[in-house]
Amino acid sequence: MPLLDPDRLFPNDPATRKTARSLYEGIADLPIISPHGHTDPRWFAENEHFPDPAQLFVTPDHYVFRMLCSHGVDLADLGVPRADGGPVETDGRTIWRLFAGHYHLFRATPTRIWLDHAFETLFDLEDRLSAETADLYYDTISERLASDDYRPRALFERFGIEALSTTEGALDDLKWHRMIVESGWNGRVVTTYRPDTVIDPETPGFADNIAKFGDLTGCDTSNWEGYLEAHRKRRAFFKEHGATASDHGHPNARTEDLPQAEAAALFARALLGDLTPEKADAFRGHMLTEMARMSLDDGLVMQIHAGSYRNHSPEIFAKFGRDKGFDIPQPTDYVRALKPLLDAVGMSPELTIILFTLDETAYSRELAPLAGVYPALRLGPPWWFFDSAEGMMRFRQIVTETAGIYNTVGFNDDTRAFCSIPARHDVARRVDCAWLAGLVGDGRLDMEEAEQMALDLTNRLVKKAYRL
């Protein structure tokens, strides 16, 4: 029996389901625009075979290993590299068997849909993954991965990806992106400017990062003016490598628009490691406004990902480092927090600031009303924990009434798991068509409008917002 129901995520009502299916058929095979994510550009630069199924599906995917961790599985037993240099499991089959034996934990989760989509559409597997079928899966996937048809570039083309943006830190040399361009391959893989490690004074080694920042740009980053100029030069360098956007991951949405002398004083103290948590937060907030002003100058779209309590477990952080599934949503204020930035640049129609949240309660109360009036603001799609069929449907229902769809930016997959990209986009397309079918069914849209909106949500909005 196939793993995937052809009508998955469509409404149960037969008439509405028929409408959703019709809308979906019109956009199902459109190219994928993936404007924000964390896939590794090295894959496409070197185009080497993926080593084994565990390295492709388990070890790099925090959606997978956080669930297993919640049932007592040690991340080291899943091959997750240790920051402290400790030993980890390296045998792919052993890791895979451990994963397969716990696959039932993913029932009814979006991760299950993404994985089943890859298993069936890429590897023609139809028996459900379990302890009993673990070796069948491992052998089948391994055999395919040894084929040239399953190298990263071939999969990129098979997935129908028109453009894909990775995310690199401000200190990255972007050598993999250069290698992609120099190879002559025509796949469009571009970078995104992520300056957190040279903006957040609470980053370990912040002063050393600023010194490296100066070395890379030839700017005197020991002073405020030189530091700002270093950002301008680095942003220009990223644009030369295809970047159309910057990305900012802050613990909250606080912005400030401080007098330059006050900002310079905070920067000087940050270099000395002499900022209280409150002052460090103020500096981060001011830098969001500085980044917005730079976007007005250089045209980079600005993304703000706020509201994550990062590295919640000190034990996991000490052993395995960042991004290991222990980033937890928390309440986030946007109305007051964004006001300094919006007072400075919010009425600028030539600026695009895309807001993401992990606080769903803010959508109807704050974010949709803000994006529904400020020309500079757009709403990013449901992110991270809400990148699910239910989260997407809630988003459409509570945002559209205030902001419409044309103050949103379509879908992005925000993933490290390469093979989940087509699955995630397919889920988004199905949910959008299910939502639109409901609007047709209750007389709020005619079919022609729904067809145009399905195309907008799939393709046009994301291209416009990210300037792709």
Side-chain angles (χ1 to χ4, degrees):
M1 178 182 295
L3 299 176
L4 301 174
D5 184 328
D7 284 334
R8 60 193 178 280
L9 305 179
F10 293 159
N12 288 327
D13 173 69
T16 314
R17 172 172 286 202
K18 182 179 179 182
T19 302
R21 188 188 303 123
S22 176
L23 291 168
Y24 173 74
E25 289 170 352
I27 52 92
D29 296 325
L30 288 176
I32 288 172
I33 310 294
S34 179
H36 172 76
H38 301 277
T39 51
D40 189 344
R42 183 174 184 173
W43 295 338
F44 311 108
E46 296 185 328
N47 200 33
E48 297 291 340
H49 294 283
F50 289 105
D52 61 56
Q55 293 296 318
L56 181 61
F57 285 108
V58 181
T59 301
D61 192 347
H62 61 73
Y63 285 89
V64 171
F65 57 68
R66 75 183 312 272
M67 177 67 82
L68 302 187
C69 181
S70 75
H71 282 258
V73 177
D74 191 327
L75 298 189
D77 291 337
L78 296 169
V80 178
R82 289 182 60 151
D84 63 5
V88 301
E89 180 60 63
T90 58
D91 181 71
R93 190 179 294 273
T94 299
I95 295 169
W96 188 263
R97 286 173 173 170
L98 181 59
F99 163 55
H102 290 81
Y103 194 59
H104 64 282
L105 300 177
F106 296 98
R107 290 170 180 163
T109 68
T111 303
R112 160 74 174 266
I113 294 178
W114 302 333
L115 288 167
D116 282 355
H117 187 282
F119 294 154
E120 181 173 316
T121 63
L122 285 181
F123 302 102
D124 301 314
L125 290 158
E126 295 190 349
D127 295 316
R128 187 77 61 197
L129 179 61
S130 65
E132 291 71 29
T133 62
D135 285 342
L136 168 67
Y137 266 70
Y138 193 87
D139 293 337
T140 301
I141 296 171
S142 294
E143 181 181 356
R144 299 285 181 90
L145 292 182
S147 164
D148 287 344
D149 290 340
Y150 285 77
R151 289 179 186 265
R153 293 181 184 180
L155 288 177
F156 183 101
E157 293 163 1
R158 176 172 176 170
F159 293 163
I161 299 175
E162 181 176 323
L164 182 147
S165 299
T166 65
T167 305
E168 278 71 50
L171 302 179
D172 196 288
D173 62 10
L174 303 186
K175 69 176 183 179
W176 303 120
H177 286 276
R178 284 198 305 277
M179 188 181 296
I180 291 169
V181 172
E182 292 167 358
S183 73
W185 178 54
N186 62 4
R188 188 177 183 189
V189 179
V190 302
T191 186
T192 298
Y193 184 63
R194 179 85 174 227
D196 296 358
T197 61
V198 292
I199 280 180
D200 184 356
E202 294 182 312
T203 300
F206 178 73
D208 289 339
N209 289 346
I210 298 302
K212 294 174 185 174
F213 201 38
D215 291 340
L216 280 172
T217 58
C219 297
D220 182 2
T221 52
S222 67
N223 66 73
W224 175 242
E225 292 77 12
Y227 170 67
L228 292 182
E229 183 60 22
H231 275 289
R232 295 186 188 98
K233 287 190 173 183
R234 206 67 186 144
R235 290 166 67 98
F237 177 75
F238 272 64
K239 284 190 70 175
E240 290 169 4
H241 288 77
T244 68
S246 67
D247 183 41
H248 309 269
H250 286 211
N252 55 56
R254 178 178 180 176
T255 65
E256 298 286 351
D257 190 13
L258 304 173
Q260 288 295 293
E262 185 175 342
L266 286 178
F267 178 66
R269 290 179 61 184
L271 292 180
L272 297 174
D274 187 32
L275 287 183
T276 63
E278 161 62 22
K279 293 297 185 183
D281 199 38
F283 182 77
R284 284 191 296 265
H286 178 78
M287 286 306 299
L288 283 178
T289 304
E290 293 286 357
M291 292 292 103
R293 287 197 178 98
M294 290 185 193
S295 284
L296 273 172
D297 292 334
D298 63 25
L300 287 183
V301 174
M302 184 177 182
Q303 301 171 98
I304 301 177
H305 286 81
S308 177
Y309 188 121
R310 305 274 178 176
N311 309 306
H312 195 271
S313 167
E315 177 183 348
I316 294 295
F317 181 67
K319 287 183 179 179
F320 297 97
R322 300 171 54 86
D323 302 321
K324 296 301 180 290
F326 279 83
D327 297 346
I328 308 297
Q330 60 184 342
T332 305
D333 166 74
Y334 293 89
V335 173
R336 285 171 291 275
L338 291 175
K339 194 171 190 313
L341 181 150
L342 295 174
D343 287 348
V345 298
M347 295 305 296
S348 303
E350 63 271 30
L351 174 65
T352 300
I353 301 172
I354 302 174
L355 302 175
F356 294 81
T357 189
L358 289 176
D359 180 5
E360 282 192 308
T361 65
Y363 274 132
S364 59
R365 184 183 65 245
E366 302 178 33
L367 289 172
L370 285 167
V373 71
Y374 278 99
L377 293 185
R378 295 291 182 268
L379 297 186
W383 168 45
W384 210 337
F385 293 92
F386 308 116
D387 181 10
S388 63
E390 291 80 5
M392 293 173 190
M393 184 64 77
R394 289 193 298 267
F395 175 80
R396 293 286 172 225
Q397 291 171 338
I398 64 180
V399 163
T400 306
E401 60 189 7
T402 304
I405 71 165
Y406 297 99
N407 287 313
T408 67
V409 300
F411 178 70
N412 65 58
D413 48 76
D414 193 21
T415 186
R416 290 176 172 80
F418 184 38
C419 289
S420 76
I421 289 177
R424 289 166 185 253
H425 283 263
D426 185 68
V427 168
R429 294 175 187 192
R430 289 173 177 274
V431 172
D432 283 341
C433 290
W435 172 68
L436 290 168
L439 298 181
V440 172
D442 65 16
R444 284 187 279 175
L445 292 176
D446 61 40
M447 193 62 178
E448 183 178 350
E449 290 177 308
E451 289 169 348
Q452 183 176 28
M453 290 171 71
L455 180 58
D456 291 335
L457 290 167
T458 301
N459 189 283
R460 292 172 178 163
L461 290 176
V462 64
K463 282 187 172 182
K464 180 179 180 181
Y466 283 91
R467 299 170 187 177
L468 289 167

